[in-house]
Amino acid sequence: MTQGPRLTPLAESLPASVPFVGPETQERDRGHPFIARLGANESLFGPAPSVIEAMANAASETWKYGDAQSWNLRVALADHLGVGMDHIMVGEGIDGLLGYLVRLTVGQGDRVVTSQGAYPTFNYHVAGFGGELVTVPYRDDHEDPDALIAKAREVDAKLVYIANPDNPMGTWHDAARMQAMIDAVPDGTLLVLDEAYLEFAPEGTAPAIDPDDPRVIRMRTFSKAYGMAGARVGYAIGAKPLITAFHKIRNHFGMARVSQAGAVAALADQDYLAEVQAKVTVARGRIAEIAAENGLATLPSATNFVAIDCGADGDFARRVLSELIARDIFVRMPFAAPQDRCIRVSVGDPADLDAFAAALPDALAAARNA
Amino acid sequence: MTQGPRLTPLAESLPASVPFVGPETQERDRGHPFIARLGANESLFGPAPSVIEAMANAASETWKYGDAQSWNLRVALADHLGVGMDHIMVGEGIDGLLGYLVRLTVGQGDRVVTSQGAYPTFNYHVAGFGGELVTVPYRDDHEDPDALIAKAREVDAKLVYIANPDNPMGTWHDAARMQAMIDAVPDGTLLVLDEAYLEFAPEGTAPAIDPDDPRVIRMRTFSKAYGMAGARVGYAIGAKPLITAFHKIRNHFGMARVSQAGAVAALADQDYLAEVQAKVTVARGRIAEIAAENGLATLPSATNFVAIDCGADGDFARRVLSELIARDIFVRMPFAAPQDRCIRVSVGDPADLDAFAAALPDALAAARNA
């Protein structure tokens, strides 16, 4: 018998890590389902009926490969955003686009800057291409643009990542602060501005798009506000040379055809988006109420989730989390201290949040008695 | 203004190449649609009604991320194939899986062996990770297992690729020949056996699956016989250590949820698959008839397409191809001589093939008069 395949030294060195354990995986491990799926910041309000209809109609055309240029979607996005379609790259979710971006820019030993405890899937891609991750701490539960830029300058970073609004904390900076960050990006560094949750943020959160600015690439998605996490449609907005570079390595026929059709329909249904935004605002308030009823504070949120401060350290919050999971409530929490004193609860409809409200007092009591 | 992002030297060196220009792209360039879509080996017979129904039903659940483990699909595949589910990796089409596999195994300067004119998307991935492609010629319009293995041994290849049945020629080897190839794989080389078209081949084409054999990884898909090209569902079958390695780099939440649901339904509907297989057999015969009516020979095919020998050189076949496209018939052709004396026509229903039959005589005449 031969020795089998030889992995690259880099691949050999990587752990078989999973940035997140999916809820279905947890359900199989537990042997029974969750009663409230509040851990992955999915939109429990679902996609628009118009999206469901568009996807159902497109199902019969699934014998065709998706359009390799995602032309109709890019035309619609260009119109929606007021930028030329050559500034837009559609890809397999922000996760997929982040993978392509890291592959384009990060080689073995290249430095990349992010916040300690920020989006782990980005870090996974950086590690996966041999990059060296350098982190700065959060500041008052916000990502810290000044510290990120200073560190990027110090280590000559290829990329510096920030999510605005932030995941996992839900906090945000206003457009002026973010524009100042863009203006401070060092030569040779690219700012990755992840705006996955932007549609839940107040007006004035996103800096104006300057499509030719080579210092920043922005990532947005249909997974969150548009309720299409399972469709895998994200998009990047950036200067043409960078957007064009994706064509060198992307999976040209990687987009599912039904997903393309669904995203076009979603973008056209801004009334439904407004309904979701209103429901999210109500649900954020409800989560804050539930927390307060249990003597806990919440962080302000510009996203579809709320960080609840469990009032002690990370070990205590991890106990609360596992007690909630034991009570069939799927939630997650920040990975790094001191943000890991919180648990992160996605908004849901009243029934989901009632289930959470019912479980939380017992979960807290059990965590305190452990 | 700053200089913008710095690509890696490898990314900088890559062309913004597209392995294939999609039919929608061509339609936009032409300004009007094709009347017969016979170029991408899609299944014009479509997915099963049961698949369309499953996908339509799953659309309302598209707010959930797909199951990161594709558990239900892998259970169904394991049952169908008679192997353990830990030997199966589901991914975003064979294209996506080939990208992951090349990334795992091929670093700068590593050698990879394939046939001159074989699947360009595989070559695209090899180039994209800095590999050095080494080719051997076809032999009598078949891929040449002996030459591939000899070359792999000679250059100490990380990977050696073969498609059986072959694309773009449609020819095939029997299971004994393929098993002999597997048994001859050199130490340290992995055989990539692309069986995308297997469901169209005679019984006895695929060698038995030995799931623990570390010398070979097999790639299969729902894009062809199951009529789901636009859903992006492929799978790899291999030894556990190699399958596990995919977890190090894959996009864990990269599968569309509707596509997972559709693939499970497709696999359960083997009656529909048998209908498609029967229609493909009839359509291959019809393409051969059309060719014969025009004085042209066809190659035997174990796929859902037929290579028509245009009877002269590559320049002539390229003229025939462009004359067909000018007559709104989307077809493609092999890239390398002498196989590029042929055009490649996907099977279709009678109306599609009638449109092809109507256009071919004029296209040939125009090509001869050019």
Side-chain angles (χ1 to χ4, degrees), chain A residues 14 17 27 62 66 87 106 131 143 145 161 171 185 189 227 253 346 366:
Chain A
L14 295 172
S17 66
E27 287 175 334
T62 212
H87 293 276
V106 176
E143 293 202 71
Y161 173 92
T171 51
V185 171
T189 297
F253 291 87
S346 307

Side-chain angles (χ1 to χ4, degrees), chain A residues 296-311:
Chain A
L296 304 179
T298 52
L299 274 64
S301 168
T303 66
N304 69 340
F305 59 86
V306 176
I308 298 178
D309 186 336
C310 291

